[in-house]
Amino acid sequence: MKRIYLDHAATTPLCKEAFCAVTDCLSGCFGNPDSVHSFGREAEKVLRGARDRVAELMGADPSEIVFTSGGTEADNAALKGVAAAAGKRRHILISAVEHPAVYAAAEQLREAGFSVGVIPADGEGFVTPEALLGAIREDTLLVSVMWANNVFGTLEDIPELARAAHSAGALFHTDAVQAAGALEVDAGASGADLISVSAHKMYGPKGAGALYVRRGTPFLPLIAGGEQERGLRGGTSAVHSAAGFAAAFAATRGSAAEDAARMRELRDFFLGELLSEDGVTLVGASDMSRRHPGNACVRVEGVRAGQLLAALDLEGVAASAGSACSARLALPDRSLTALGLTETQADECVRFSLGRETQKEELVRAAEIFRAAVRRIRKA
Ligand code: PLP
C-alpha cells in the first residue's frame, strides 16, 4: 500500500540539504565550539555560519538568535526568560488559541505568582488588536500570540498585534513555528520582540530551533550553567543540529514562494473535495489568503476524529486531530473549543496538512478514502 502523508504540521521529512549538513558535521567536526584549540575553532565556525544564516533568513542580527532544542523550548524560554527579568509588571497575556508549549509555560508562571490572562479569538481563530487591548493591563509584561495556528491554520496579523501590545508598554512574543517554513517571518517587519521557530516543521532535524530575542529585550536564560549562546542558554551547543536547521531553513526559504503557491492551489482543491461531503464544514479562516497554505482542517459532523483517523490510517492516509503533543491525551485540542465549538464538535475535527512534495494524485486518493470512511462510520 502506498502511504499518503498529510500531517506536515506535525513534522516534515528531512530534506537532503539538512541531511548533508548534519552528517558532514557529525563525521567531520566533533570539536566543542567553546574550546579554544583548532578542533573547537572548526566547530565554532560551523555554528557561527548557522547562526548567521538563520539570522539573515529572519531579518535579524546574529546576536539576536538563541539556538534551542526546538519550538517548545523556544516558547518556554520566551515566556519564562522575560518573566525572570521582570520588574513590576507581573501580568502575562496569551491568546486562547496558543500551542500547549505557550499555554503550559504560562500556567507554570501563574503557579509561580504571575497573573495570566487570555485574549479571546473569534469563530475563525482570529485574535484582533481590539480583543488584545480589551484584555491588556497597565502591568502587562508580555503578550504572546501565535503567527499561524497549528490546528486550523489561521494566520494572525502579527505587526498589528505587536503594535497594540507595544502601545500599552508590553513586550510581544509570537510562536512562528508553523509559519516560518511556509511564509516569510521577518523580525523587523513583524515588530515582535521574541519569535520562536523550529527546524522539524521546515524539513530540518528534530530537536533544533531558535528563539529570536530583539536586542535590548530584558531576558534571562531558561537554562543556566554555561556561557553558551552569549549567556542566554547554557549547555554545549548541538552544532550538527544548528547546521541542519540552518541548511533546511535556507532551502525552504529558497523555494518558499513557489511552494506556497502550489500548496494553496492543492489545498483549495482538496478542501473542495472534503467539503463536498454532507455534514463536513471548514474549521478556521474562511479567507484562504489568511490561512496557512498547507492547512485543511474540517469538522465531520457525527464522526469522532479518533475513529476517522484510525480508518484513514488503515488505508495509509496520515492526518491528525490537533497538535501531536496532545494527541495521546485523547482530548480535543484546546484551541478548537476556543473557536466556540463544544467538546463534542471539537472532537469531530480533523487536520490534513500538505507539504511541498504533496501530489494532486495523492489528494484525489485521500479524498476518496476520506469519503468512504466517513460514510462507513456514519452507517455503522
Ligand atoms: N508551537 C507550535 C505552533 C507547534 O506547532 C509546535 C509543534 O507542533 C511547537 C510549538 C513545538 O515545537 P517543537 O516540536 O519543535 O518542540
Side-chain angles (χ1 to χ4, degrees):
M1 177 174 58
K2 192 171 175 298
R3 294 184 300 165
I4 303 173
Y5 186 73
L6 295 176
D7 201 13
H8 291 83
T11 197
T12 51
L14 195 71
C15 65
K16 67 175 186 315
E17 291 85 350
F19 178 81
C20 292
V22 171
T23 49
D24 284 357
C25 192
L26 283 174
S27 59
C29 174
F30 73 91
N32 183 325
D34 291 309
S35 298
V36 290
H37 48 61
S38 64
F39 293 86
R41 289 198 304 275
E42 273 168 26
E44 196 277 329
K45 191 173 166 201
V46 174
L47 187 63
R48 190 162 13 103
R51 193 184 310 284
D52 289 350
R53 224 165 171 190
V54 169
E56 193 186 337
L57 292 162
M58 293 182 73
D61 187 83
S63 66
E64 297 173 311
I65 300 298
V66 179
F67 282 125
T68 66
S69 66
T72 302
E73 185 191 321
D75 285 343
N76 272 267
L79 271 72
K80 295 175 188 172
V82 165
K88 289 209 174 69
R89 290 177 179 246
R90 309 281 294 172
H91 179 237
I92 310 273
L93 254 188
I94 64 169
S95 90
V97 291
E98 292 305 305
H99 185 272
V102 167
Y103 178 83
E107 278 306 301
Q108 286 189 332
L109 289 174
R110 191 201 300 276
E111 282 159 23
F114 282 81
S115 72
V116 176
V118 176
I119 315 168
D122 70 15
E124 295 192 351
F126 288 110
V127 177
T128 62
E130 293 72 31
L132 188 160
L133 290 170
I136 212 158
R137 301 192 332 204
E138 261 183 13
D139 65 338
T140 303
L141 172 67
L142 176 73
V143 178
S144 181
V145 183
M146 73 201 316
W147 196 306
N149 185 273
N150 50 301
V151 182
F152 43 79
T154 297
L155 300 176
E156 306 294 350
D157 188 341
I158 295 303
E160 279 288 317
L161 294 167
R163 248 193 303 280
H166 290 157
S167 73
L171 294 166
F172 186 82
H173 164 248
T174 184
D175 173 339
V177 165
Q178 292 292 337
L183 306 159
E184 187 173 7
V185 168
D186 182 88
S190 76
D193 303 292
L194 303 116
I195 304 175
S196 304
V197 291
S198 173
H200 75 105
K201 310 289 185 178
M202 48 171 95
Y203 306 88
K206 290 166 186 59
L211 178 66
Y212 158 82
V213 184
R214 185 185 298 285
R215 198 179 299 135
T217 304
F219 181 84
L220 287 170
L222 174 68
I223 300 174
E227 280 311 301
Q228 291 89 356
E229 300 295 310
R230 297 164 318 288
L232 296 180
R233 193 224 188 215
T236 303
S237 305
V239 183
H240 62 293
S241 298
F245 170 30
F249 204 170
T252 307
R253 291 300 321 143
S255 60
E258 304 96 87
D259 289 340
R262 197 179 145 273
M263 269 199 288
R264 272 191 197 99
E265 208 177 304
L266 287 177
R267 186 264 325 265
D268 293 350
F269 161 76
F270 187 54
L271 266 178
E273 294 287 301
L274 302 182
L275 296 173
S276 67
E277 186 64 20
D278 275 353
V280 177
T281 48
L282 183 70
V283 181
S286 54
D287 175 349
M288 292 296 144
S289 68
R290 298 183 70 191
R291 195 177 175 103
H292 186 288
N295 179 286
C297 183
V298 294
R299 182 183 152 218
V300 187
E301 223 175 289
V303 176
R304 295 194 64 184
Q307 222 181 337
L308 178 55
L309 292 171
L312 293 173
D313 188 37
L314 277 176
E315 307 274 345
V317 177
S320 68
S323 72
C325 321
S326 2
R328 295 191 192 286
L329 291 179
L331 287 172
D333 203 284
R334 190 182 301 104
S335 64
L336 287 167
T337 45
L339 303 183
L341 298 174
T342 63
E343 285 219 349
T344 307
Q345 292 168 336
D347 195 28
E348 296 170 342
C349 296
V350 288
R351 171 190 76 186
F352 296 90
S353 43
L354 285 55
R356 64 183 187 199
E357 271 114 34
T358 303
Q359 299 298 318
K360 185 158 183 188
E361 307 82 76
E362 293 181 302
L363 296 176
V364 170
R365 176 89 189 110
E368 274 168 17
I369 293 172
F370 168 85
R371 273 191 296 267
V374 168
R375 288 176 196 179
R376 224 173 26 245
I377 295 169
R378 281 187 172 146
K379 214 163 152 194

